[in-house]
Amino acid sequence: SLNLGFAADPMIAAVPGLAVVGFLAANRDGNQPGGLFVQRWVELNKEDGFPWAYADTKQASSGTSGQFRDKPAMLATLAAAGTAPLSLSFTVDGQAVTQKVAAGTLHLAYSNFTGNDPKDSSQIKYLKSTNYGATWSNEVKLSASVALNQGVSIAADPSGQSLVVVWRSFDFNSNQPNSLAYATSSNGGNSWSK
């Protein structure tokens, strides 16, 4: 248990041998700001019984006082053909399990609301994991405006190198027009053009 008051905005990504369920969790009172989490489920038995077993829950991004993560999107991309698989270690039902899964990247983007007023600004942030959530890159701010930004979506080409993150910008306080905004990456999320 995360000992948080609620969970919301579920997402799922799956690769051969592993499923990742992403979600946000927090408390309504703000004492524990919560954040974004991923649960990892390993595929243990394809032929007999329920094939998935809960492995662990990892925190991808933590909220802070006066900031709240919301409206996340998640995407898994696979590495190029011929790339060696990853060996991930888990404890499942008290037993050590090493699972080989296709190498790839888990991409996560979300709205980061600043302040307590619903009309305060928000930013679109991005981070990635090359081990399906065990560790995460530093967060990168993708939005350039001071408007309210939310409703993020992520897409990639088949190589997983060309990415686009799209979101909606709303004009509440900034005298900027309501619009769709985007950022692109041509190197698998290592750098972004806005």
Side-chain angles (χ1 to χ4, degrees), residues 3 9 16 20 45 50 68 79 104 109-110 116 133 138 158 179 183-184:
N3 293 318
D9 296 347
V20 180
N45 186 342
F50 186 69
F68 180 72
Y110 64 91
N116 295 321
N138 291 328
S179 63
T184 60

Side-chain angles (χ1 to χ4, degrees), residues 21-69:
V21 178
F23 58 97
L24 64 87
N27 283 321
R28 301 252 183 233
D29 62 11
N31 290 335
Q32 291 177 304
L36 295 171
F37 298 85
V38 293
Q39 269 189 359
R40 301 188 301 170
W41 291 72
V42 293
E43 187 177 12
L44 295 178
N45 186 342
K46 298 180 203 171
E47 307 297 328
D48 184 7
F50 186 69
W52 299 98
Y54 169 78
D56 58 20
T57 300
K58 301 288 187 178
Q59 188 163 14
S61 176
S62 61
T64 60
S65 180
Q67 295 189 24
F68 180 72
R69 277 88 169 115

Side-chain angles (χ1 to χ4, degrees), residues 57-90:
T57 300
K58 301 288 187 178
Q59 188 163 14
S61 176
S62 61
T64 60
S65 180
Q67 295 189 24
F68 180 72
R69 277 88 169 115
D70 202 10
K71 311 296 184 225
M74 184 171 66
L75 176 72
T77 57
L78 296 177
T83 303
L86 294 175
S87 290
L88 301 177
S89 296
F90 303 99

Side-chain angles (χ1 to χ4, degrees), residues 138-152:
N138 291 328
E139 297 171 325
V140 176
K141 180 183 165 205
L142 298 182
S143 55
S145 72
V146 294
L148 180 64
N149 299 284
Q150 69 180 56
V152 66

